[in-house]
Amino acid sequence: MRSTRSRQDVRANTVIGAGLLAGGANVIMQLALPAVGYGVVESRVHDGNIFTRPLKRTRTTLTYLAVAMLGTDEERKAFRRAVNRQHARVRSTDTSPVRYHAMDPELQLWVAACLYRGVEDVHRVFVGEPDADTAERIYAYSARLGTTLQVRPEMWPADRAEFERYWQESLKRVSIDDTVREYLHGIATLRMFPYPVRLLFGRLNRFITTGFLPPLFREHMRLPWSDRHQRRFDRTMAILAAIVMRLPRPLREFPYNVLLWDLRRRLRTGKPLV
């Protein structure tokens, strides 16, 4: 019963397609841990590179979020097997500036923690601050963001207070060098898309990405931000939230609902999941 209630809370309050506007900021947060950053920048899994296969990479990432939060245990296991085959190939070399392996549960815990921070942001912007009980249920359920892969259940901090201690301790390891920063600037400005898309939406995406970033990460990215920027960002998000939360649920959940449907179709037909 508790699991069903948690699932309902997550779906009603955090499965919001417009929350993908925070995606660029979340990627920056994840890659701000050097081992994760270089694992992505140096990855030899070329068909998962966002700059060469932007649509495929985006589909895989968003499908992971959909299945982790909303999929059945069997669906999560199937997606884990598919992702593991990719992650097993992502490991540092003798020339890498840091050691990493994408199968490392500690690195995956950091990524899952960043994704949970994204869940918090989406709820705060589009729904509002949750009450304490709802916040704890959503937090506990969000462990699936890590346990769908190699994070063991006991690794997920026991409650939000314990999570905050883990988060503050982990922030001491955040560092973005020039190599990773250039890669992340490319994501913030939509460099992976054709020039007309970059021209129309690149500056806007950088503004929204910067707005969703906590101050520490903005500083590491060398992205300027002022009180005037913050007021503009808050107004923009308030208008968007007022529109989005009035949409019918299927439209509000798009594209997560479509990606979950597509995953189930791929499972039925034997097509690759990633």
Side-chain angles (χ1 to χ4, degrees):
M1 184 69 176
R2 183 180 177 87
S3 176
T4 300
R5 188 179 180 187
S6 294
R7 186 188 293 259
Q8 291 170 345
D9 282 337
V10 170
R11 184 153 198 155
N13 298 324
T14 61
V15 182
I16 299 170
L20 293 175
L21 290 170
N26 207 267
V27 170
I28 289 172
M29 292 165 64
Q30 294 170 34
L31 272 62
L33 198 69
V36 178
Y38 271 94
V40 172
V41 171
E42 294 187 336
S43 174
R44 296 181 296 281
V45 183
H46 298 299
D47 64 349
N49 187 313
I50 195 166
F51 290 104
T52 58
R53 301 288 300 277
L55 297 181
K56 182 178 186 298
R57 176 62 190 231
T58 300
R59 176 180 65 80
T60 299
T61 299
L62 299 187
T63 300
Y64 175 77
L65 295 177
V67 73
M69 297 300 267
L70 302 173
T72 66
D73 288 344
E74 288 306 312
E75 289 164 351
R76 292 169 65 215
K77 288 176 184 176
F79 207 76
R80 177 188 301 133
R81 290 191 294 269
V83 172
N84 283 353
R85 286 192 288 272
Q86 302 284 77
H87 278 181
R89 300 158 58 193
V90 179
R91 57 174 68 239
S92 53
T93 66
D94 292 340
T95 60
S96 299
V98 293
R99 301 293 95 187
Y100 60 82
H101 187 198
M103 298 287 283
D104 184 342
E106 293 292 342
L107 297 184
Q108 292 185 13
L109 177 60
W110 165 255
V111 170
C114 292
L115 291 172
Y116 168 66
R117 283 300 197 204
V119 169
E120 286 187 321
D121 288 341
V122 169
H123 196 292
R124 187 178 304 112
V125 168
F126 291 95
V127 183
E129 290 287 348
D131 61 70
D133 184 54
T134 299
E136 285 292 351
R137 287 201 304 273
I138 292 175
Y139 169 72
Y141 195 80
S142 295
R144 293 163 63 107
L145 292 167
T147 58
T148 297
L149 294 178
Q150 275 70 51
V151 176
R152 299 181 299 279
E154 64 271 18
M155 293 176 65
W156 190 247
D159 52 31
R160 293 173 71 227
E162 186 65 31
F163 176 87
E164 190 60 32
R165 285 189 286 272
Y166 163 81
W167 182 255
Q168 293 302 323
E169 214 33 56
S170 297
L171 290 181
K172 298 175 183 177
R173 298 184 288 150
V174 163
S175 178
I176 302 176
D177 67 10
D178 290 341
T179 299
V180 176
R181 188 179 300 108
E182 181 181 1
Y183 181 94
L184 292 172
H185 271 299
I187 291 176
T189 56
L190 304 179
R191 199 177 68 211
M192 71 288 288
F193 293 115
Y195 177 73
V197 176
R198 299 199 304 271
L199 183 65
L200 288 172
F201 301 110
R203 289 182 63 183
L204 176 62
N205 191 69
R206 172 176 163 153
F207 169 73
I208 292 174
T209 295
T210 307
F212 273 109
L213 280 175
L216 174 67
F217 296 89
R218 284 189 203 130
E219 292 170 12
H220 278 277
M221 285 295 295
R222 301 174 186 168
L223 291 168
W225 196 253
S226 65
D227 291 342
R228 181 174 61 85
H229 287 123
Q230 188 64 52
R231 289 192 295 272
R232 179 185 165 203
F233 176 80
D234 290 341
R235 287 195 301 270
T236 302
M237 291 299 107
I239 292 169
L240 182 62
I243 296 170
V244 167
M245 298 311 289
R246 287 175 170 80
L247 293 174
R249 180 167 157 176
L251 290 178
R252 192 169 67 241
E253 293 184 349
F254 178 83
Y256 292 111
N257 45 8
V258 173
L259 289 165
L260 192 61
W261 171 86
D262 181 61
L263 171 76
R264 289 167 175 167
R265 179 185 64 83
R266 289 172 179 271
L267 284 170
R268 287 195 308 271
T269 59
K271 291 188 175 182
L273 302 186
V274 301

